[in-house]
Amino acid sequence: MTQLSERMRALVQPHLAEIEPYDPAFTPCDINLSANENTYPLPEGVREAVDEALAATPLNRYPDPMSNDLRDELAAWHGVVRENVCVGNGGDELLYNFLLAFGGAGRTLLTCPPDFSEYAFFASLTQTAVERVWRDEATYGLRCEELLAAAVQADLVILTSPNNPTGDVLSIDLAREVCAACPGLVMVDEAYGEFADEGTSVECLLGECDNLVVLHTLSKAFGEAGIRCGYVLAAPDVIEAFAAIRQIYSVNVLTQAAALTAVRKREAFAPVIETIRSERERLLSGLRALTEPLAPQGAVWAGQGNFLLVRLPQASVVRQRLRDEFSILVRDFSYAPGLEDCLRITVGMPEENDAVLDALKTILAE
Ligand code: PMP
């Protein structure tokens, strides 16, 4: 992990001296299944429509700070009003802004790791303390009683559904109970929500729980990780706070144009999402066939995102061999607390999934 130079450690704010930057561990490879992107081409006609929208976008004017056209389209989609929506430069910016606005010194964020490591990173940037209710070591299920008890003391909670990297979905009832228990705001990060079974989104609680914030992104199901666009849905006064502290022009004109086009054409993405869901089940059975003989050192968890978590003996060696001998990049979590010997594999196109299964078969046979 890169460390700041001694000179910088003396100059940065004291709480940043030991900061460990988020590392996506990227190496160029023929097949990249490491970052949970959508590896499929955009649906027919979408790229052309995006290109047209980009070509028609003047570059000499500042963007609409609040992305109001996009907000209106998102609001219509989700059955809310513009005042319930704030757009950001990727979900990451909104996560950071969540901590910036509502966290800080003296406040506590409650998380349930193993989860998305950016939560703790943004907490450390904003001097927010982190309280952790670890998931069950074997199943990675949430420990509901402990979570509810800790939520009472927390200023903020972030839960992920489907969770990255374990893939499980939060129940709507538990989300409601956490919202009732927590005196502050509860964010449910649904970055991978479109890949989960219908009826699992906690969005239906927005009317009932005025402390609920639901996070979405166009980076995953909608195949636009490169444009950096995410959004939150929440009560109007929560959105006002997000709006008040944001970098005013963080969502640039090209991003707004590309995002608006994708959201208007959202129906065109349904077949891709369906294919990814069925490829996920195919990959799951393929991985099960490979890991079952290795149990308990080998395991794979059924998940509802566009990725699967798999445990293999000597996972970091396997990951390295996939990269160096097969030019396939997957994510190594074997160093992460609670995820010993775990790799996370993004569900790709059929030929990419076949390639990773074949390569693993070869490696594990040795
Ligand atoms: N939440 C989760 C759980 C994620 O895995 C990611 C991306 N890896 C994000 C939020 C942020 O995505 P983006 O910034 O691309 O919108």
Side-chain angles (χ1 to χ4, degrees):
M1 199 56 76
T2 18
Q3 273 216 324
L4 296 179
S5 68
E6 208 153 306
R7 188 165 77 103
M8 287 303 114
R9 280 157 56 153
L11 290 177
V12 294
Q13 292 190 53
H15 73 277
L16 300 177
E18 301 304 324
I19 205 92
E20 287 193 3
Y22 178 78
D23 177 11
F26 179 70
T27 319
C29 276
D30 293 343
I31 296 179
N32 181 357
L33 301 177
S34 72
N36 295 346
E37 295 143 334
N38 183 338
T39 71
Y40 289 65
L42 286 173
E44 207 181 320
V46 174
R47 180 65 209 223
E48 293 74 6
V50 167
D51 287 346
E52 250 173 59
L54 296 180
T57 302
L59 301 182
N60 61 320
R61 301 290 182 187
Y62 284 107
D64 169 5
M66 286 302 287
S67 310
N68 278 323
D69 289 346
L70 178 56
R71 258 177 124 192
D72 287 343
E73 192 69 32
L74 291 166
W77 173 17
H78 291 283
V80 294
V81 292
R82 173 196 282 194
E83 288 73 19
N84 294 115
V85 185
C86 184
V87 177
N89 184 312
D92 282 349
E93 184 190 43
L94 293 160
L95 283 167
Y96 177 71
N97 286 354
F98 183 63
L99 274 300
L100 184 65
F102 304 107
R107 303 265 176 93
T108 300
L109 165 71
L110 173 61
T111 64
C112 294
D115 59 6
F116 186 35
S117 60
E118 294 270 61
Y119 307 150
F121 177 65
F122 293 145
S124 64
L125 288 185
T126 57
Q127 294 183 272
T128 312
V130 182
E131 172 72 24
R132 295 174 172 87
V133 173
W134 287 86
R135 288 156 175 272
D136 181 89
E137 278 166 31
T139 64
Y140 292 129
L142 289 169
R143 294 185 206 268
C144 304
E145 295 304 311
E146 288 91 328
L147 167 59
L148 286 171
V152 175
Q153 310 292 330
D155 298 289
L156 294 174
V157 180
I158 302 181
L159 298 170
T160 325
S161 184
N163 185 44
N164 175 12
T166 58
D168 58 297
V169 163
L170 171 71
S171 86
I172 293 174
D173 286 343
L174 182 58
R176 181 189 285 112
E177 286 182 78
V178 174
C179 287
C182 179
L185 296 183
V186 177
M187 177 183 273
V188 178
D189 178 348
E190 294 193 352
Y192 302 97
E194 294 84 1
F195 301 110
D197 291 345
E198 243 185 84
T200 51
S201 172
V202 302
E203 229 167 272
C204 56
L205 298 177
L206 280 168
E208 186 184 329
C209 307
D210 67 359
N211 61 340
L212 173 65
V213 180
V214 183
L215 178 73
H216 286 284
T217 177
L218 299 189
S219 297
K220 309 296 178 182
F222 296 95
E224 291 198 327
I227 71 166
R228 313 302 303 127
C229 187
Y231 58 100
V232 283
L233 305 175
D237 59 340
V238 176
I239 295 298
E240 276 169 18
F242 269 99
I245 57 96
R246 62 187 296 276
Q247 295 274 332
I248 186 160
Y249 297 130
S250 71
V251 186
N252 72 69
V253 288
L254 299 174
T255 295
Q256 290 189 31
L260 183 58
T261 309
V263 174
R264 283 192 177 137
K265 294 197 167 287
R266 57 191 173 273
E267 292 303 327
F269 288 82
V272 183
I273 294 169
E274 211 31 63
T275 306
I276 293 172
R277 282 168 53 86
S278 72
E279 278 297 298
R280 178 182 70 208
E281 298 316 303
R282 195 174 69 83
L283 186 61
L284 176 66
S285 350
L287 290 171
R288 284 237 156 104
L290 293 173
T291 52
E292 264 163 17
L294 306 169
Q297 284 98 343
V300 51
W301 285 264
Q304 295 225 13
N306 65 337
F307 53 87
L308 290 169
L309 186 71
V310 55
R311 174 166 289 150
L312 296 167
Q314 294 195 287
S316 61
V317 176
V318 174
R319 185 252 184 189
Q320 211 169 320
R321 290 195 57 192
L322 282 172
R323 186 190 64 192
D324 300 343
E325 296 170 32
F326 298 89
S327 198
I328 298 174
L329 195 64
V330 301
R331 195 60 181 271
D332 184 7
F333 279 108
S334 54
Y335 60 89
L339 293 170
E340 289 74 22
D341 271 335
C342 284
L343 302 177
R344 189 195 64 197
I345 305 177
T346 302
V347 179
M349 293 187 287
E351 54 276 24
E352 295 175 314
N353 304 327
D354 286 340
V356 79
L357 285 171
D358 288 348
L360 283 174
K361 203 169 171 184
T362 308
I363 295 169
L364 296 172
E366 285 169 18

